Amino acid sequence: MATIKYYVREGLLPAGQLTSPNQASYDESHVRRLRLIRAMIDVGGLSVAAVREVVAAVDDPDRPLHEMLGAAADYVVPRYEGVGDEPGDALVAARVTVAELIDRRGWHSHPGSPAAEALAVAVAALENVGHGDFPEAVLEAYADAAERVARVDVDYVAKNVAREELVASVVVGTVIGDAVFAALRRLAHIEASKQVFGLDR
């Protein structure tokens, strides 16, 4: 109960209907909102301030659904604090590579988005450890696979009707979906390694 009162005080959850000076009742809309808050905090690792931003987007009926979901997804993308303060040559080049990829594929994103920056940081790290040919060799194939997976994700999320449920699905699906996809990729690596290198090499 103390947690609910805290969420109400922080503006994350609307107040319940007072039934006595010290008691309030909550309906299904409160339950949905609580699920959303818990998903964002427990699974997504969002701060209370970030949750407040997402909740504001959910509660804005004029905010397009695509923008609302994007606001939620942006908060669960890893941030690399300090990396972009004085970017080295590898990061500058990686940002160009990512911007060109976004443009070439016609993606409705912008190069400065959290996801684009996370990708640029990863590509720069590959360059810094001697794998600078990665973008030319496999990035396009990764993007193809990512498009297919993203479509499956969005089709699954679209089954939800309530805005809170949609956002909760995006947060949980992004975080847990990343873990599921990484595990599947590693399982597939075992099979691909067996096929390419065999058991006796």
Side-chain angles (χ1 to χ4, degrees):
M1 186 58 83
T3 302
I4 291 175
K5 289 179 180 176
Y6 172 71
Y7 292 154
V8 171
R9 273 198 317 273
E10 290 296 316
L12 306 181
L13 184 70
Q17 180 71 39
L18 283 177
T19 55
S20 73
N22 296 325
Q23 297 244 330
S25 67
Y26 299 91
D27 60 21
E28 184 58 33
S29 67
H30 291 92
V31 173
R32 281 196 308 270
R33 178 57 56 88
L34 277 171
R35 278 199 297 259
L36 170 61
I37 294 167
R38 296 313 318 166
M40 290 191 289
I41 291 173
D42 295 342
V43 180
L46 275 66
S47 67
V48 169
V51 171
R52 192 179 295 109
E53 293 287 327
V54 176
V55 164
V58 170
D59 289 339
D60 181 357
D62 297 327
R63 186 95 177 251
L65 193 56
H66 170 70
E67 286 183 17
M68 181 193 70
L69 296 177
D74 280 351
Y75 280 109
V76 295
V77 174
R79 300 297 201 278
Y80 301 97
E81 298 300 329
V83 171
D85 293 346
E86 292 181 23
D89 292 343
L91 183 55
V92 170
R95 286 173 174 160
V96 171
T97 297
V98 171
E100 290 172 348
L101 174 76
I102 290 169
D103 184 59
R104 191 168 56 250
R105 298 192 75 90
W107 286 349
H108 294 91
S109 183
H110 58 90
S113 71
E117 182 65 7
L119 178 57
V121 168
V123 169
L126 286 163
E127 171 68 34
N128 289 332
V129 296
H131 290 277
D133 59 341
F134 175 88
E136 187 176 336
V138 300
L139 195 56
E140 211 65 51
Y142 273 38
D144 288 340
E147 281 185 351
R148 290 194 300 275
V149 171
R151 186 54 197 245
V152 170
D153 289 345
V154 171
D155 286 346
Y156 175 78
V157 168
K159 295 175 185 176
N160 294 298
V161 178
R163 288 168 72 94
E164 286 97 342
E165 297 294 339
L166 280 166
V167 173
S169 294
V170 166
V171 172
V172 172
T174 299
V175 175
I176 297 178
D178 284 353
V180 168
F181 191 75
L184 285 169
R185 182 170 171 247
R186 282 157 183 75
L187 288 169
H189 278 162
I190 295 167
E191 185 60 24
S193 176
K194 179 178 177 289
Q195 291 175 12
V196 172
F197 300 115
L199 295 174
D200 56 347
R201 291 179 66 181

